[in-house]
Amino acid sequence: MKVKEQLLTLSPYKPGKPIEEVKREFNLDRVVKLASNENPYGSSALVKEAIAAEIENMALYPDGYAAELRAAVAKHVGVEQDQLIFGNGSDEVIQIICRALLSADTNTVMPTPSFPQYKHNAVIEGAEIREVPLRGGDHDLDAMLRAIDENTTIVWVCSPNNPTGTYVKGDELISFMKQVPKHTLIVMDEAYFEYAADQADYPNTVEFLNEYENLIVLRTFSKAYGLASLRIGYGIANESLLQKIEPAREPFNTSRMAQKAAIVALEDQAFIEECKKKNEEGLQQYYAFCDKNGLNYYPSFTNFVLIDFGRQGDEVFQFLLQRGFIVRSGNALGFPTSVRITVGTKEQNEQIIELLQQFVNQAAAKA
């Protein structure tokens, strides 16, 4: 049986080791996962109540149009209901976009290192991939513009960017969008929007939708809202664009439980504000550790921080793993001497920073 040749060049997504596996491997009673940028405070208590009530409807298909959720998100974001598309996480919206716009005679422009699913889906569709290296942890928008030609159907902007945590400032984004040709879709991936939105120069991209019909904004309930396991995300765009790409969306692609949880999650903005406050305090813990030890890092506007230890990221990863903390090695992220750490609770941050200090001290002693 013959499959697409390009699939043979890809590897399936490999998540971090499960907590139970790490416990068995290293004979540990407690393991803390700070690798996938999940909300350490979980989700709103209101969400848990809504999920419990929705269990009674498990035998019923979900609303494929997600009408109730659509109305709630449209009101929250400030758009019309027909300007929304929902996905099984924003990952699926990325897949839908790629399926709808990419083919062997097209190309797509993206920053690197960035979220790997842009490239992964483009490879599956057989499109040419044009990767533009980051500049100082930021998008090199000028170089990305130079990479666009008449066959470029998608340009990706990840803001804040994963794994650096940096964002594209408003004036820079406006200048960029003005120069992107109308035949090229600008995808603004804002998975970490809630953590960055309070910055004075973080752009309100939804306001640009009327002027730029070739713009789509992606957001998710997986991060700040703490609904990662339910897989629910969405895109915001011009109605005419969404009508064209909607046929690439699978029917019933978001579950009843996910839709209900997302609706209720939007109602508890106090929970989001508290999570953001604690997250910022957690980032300051890591910054203080880095400054104390002369370690480079990117100031982050997300719920993770990328720290350069000047040694193989796998070495730091393994040191922490054996002591009950799962993080993400930079070797898999394009930063081989770094690790990406999800900001945990205050206590979790204190514990892992204590271990990181041990690692730094041991490395200095060997030097």
Side-chain angles (χ1 to χ4, degrees), residues 91-130:
D91 287 15
E92 191 195 19
V93 184
I94 291 169
Q95 182 185 59
I96 291 169
I97 292 169
C98 290
R99 179 180 289 183
L101 275 74
L102 295 179
S103 60
D105 57 352
T106 66
N107 70 69
T108 177
V109 174
M110 63 193 67
T112 186
S114 193
F115 188 52
Q117 291 304 300
Y118 312 146
K119 181 176 181 179
H120 185 92
N121 283 286
V123 169
I124 292 174
E125 301 303 331
E128 177 192 351
I129 296 158
R130 298 182 176 180

Side-chain angles (χ1 to χ4, degrees), residues 180-197:
V180 174
K182 298 301 181 184
H183 69 265
T184 300
L185 178 65
I186 305 165
V187 181
M188 287 295 303
D189 187 349
E190 297 182 346
Y192 300 92
F193 167 80
E194 286 77 16
Y195 295 105

Side-chain angles (χ1 to χ4, degrees), residues 19-45:
I19 289 175
E20 292 306 317
E21 181 180 336
V22 175
K23 284 182 177 179
R24 288 193 300 270
E25 184 176 352
F26 298 104
N27 194 27
L28 298 169
D29 294 325
R30 176 176 177 268
V31 171
V32 177
K33 181 186 174 192
L34 297 176
S36 300
N37 309 333
E38 297 147 331
N39 188 335
Y41 304 103
S43 58
S44 163

Side-chain angles (χ1 to χ4, degrees), residues 59-352:
L60 303 178
Y61 281 108
D63 173 10
Y65 186 68
E68 189 179 357
L69 174 60
R70 183 177 296 271
V73 172
K75 180 180 179 181
H76 178 74
V77 176
V79 297
E80 298 298 321
Q81 293 185 30
D82 54 17
Q83 289 183 269
L84 296 168
I85 184 171
F86 293 92
N88 190 252
S90 56
D91 287 15
E92 191 195 19
V93 184
I94 291 169
Q95 182 185 59
I96 291 169
I97 292 169
C98 290
R99 179 180 289 183
L101 275 74
L102 295 179
S103 60
D105 57 352
T106 66
N107 70 69
T108 177
V109 174
M110 63 193 67
T112 186
S114 193
F115 188 52
Q117 291 304 300
Y118 312 146
K119 181 176 181 179
H120 185 92
N121 283 286
V123 169
I124 292 174
E125 301 303 331
E128 177 192 351
I129 296 158
R130 298 182 176 180
E131 296 181 284
V132 178
L134 298 176
R135 182 177 57 189
D138 296 319
H139 287 55
D140 188 342
L141 296 179
D142 291 335
M144 290 174 70
L145 284 170
R146 291 193 295 271
I148 295 172
D149 64 18
E150 66 276 7
N151 296 319
T152 306
T153 54
I154 305 174
V155 59
W156 304 89
V157 180
C158 187
S159 181
N161 186 50
N162 180 5
T164 56
T166 58
Y167 66 87
V168 177
K169 296 178 174 58
D171 56 347
E172 297 172 352
L173 179 62
I174 292 172
S175 176
F176 175 76
M177 291 192 299
K178 285 180 178 178
Q179 298 176 74
V180 174
K182 298 301 181 184
H183 69 265
T184 300
L185 178 65
I186 305 165
V187 181
M188 287 295 303
D189 187 349
E190 297 182 346
Y192 300 92
F193 167 80
E194 286 77 16
Y195 295 105
D198 291 340
Q199 300 303 310
D201 54 358
Y202 186 83
N204 183 352
T205 47
V206 172
E207 293 182 346
F208 303 146
L209 291 172
N210 290 334
E211 183 175 355
Y212 298 94
E213 295 187 2
N214 61 329
L215 171 67
I216 185 168
V217 179
L218 308 186
R219 293 182 185 168
T220 183
F221 287 93
S222 294
K223 304 304 179 184
Y225 287 96
L227 303 183
S229 69
L230 293 179
R231 312 306 301 127
I232 185 90
Y234 59 99
I236 319 164
N238 185 276
E239 177 188 0
S240 61
L241 168 64
L242 296 185
Q243 286 180 341
K244 293 174 183 175
I245 69 173
E246 267 279 358
R249 180 181 65 82
E250 296 293 332
F252 308 119
N253 62 325
T254 59
S255 71
R256 294 183 64 96
M257 200 166 289
Q259 291 180 26
K260 181 61 68 174
I263 292 167
V264 176
L266 285 175
E267 297 172 359
D268 194 353
Q269 290 300 309
F271 172 79
I272 298 300
E273 291 303 316
E274 182 64 19
C275 289
K276 287 164 56 178
K277 177 176 177 290
K278 291 178 179 177
N279 182 75
E280 179 57 34
E281 292 169 353
L283 283 170
Q284 295 302 323
Q285 289 178 268
Y286 288 101
Y287 296 163
F289 161 75
C290 291
D291 293 341
K292 173 184 174 182
N293 291 280
L295 301 176
N296 293 323
Y297 62 93
Y298 294 107
S300 176
F301 299 90
T302 66
N303 63 341
F304 62 80
V305 60
L306 185 71
I307 303 175
D308 187 350
F309 285 86
R311 304 175 71 86
Q312 278 297 308
D314 285 352
E315 185 180 347
V316 186
F317 167 82
Q318 195 64 28
F319 179 90
L320 294 172
L321 189 68
Q322 292 174 356
R323 291 157 178 81
F325 281 87
I326 307 173
V327 297
R328 193 85 158 110
S329 170
N331 286 74
L333 303 173
F335 290 88
T337 60
S338 300
V339 294
R340 190 191 69 194
I341 304 172
T342 302
V343 178
T345 65
K346 180 180 179 181
E347 294 74 20
Q348 290 170 344
N349 299 332
E350 289 173 346
Q351 291 162 3
I352 196 172

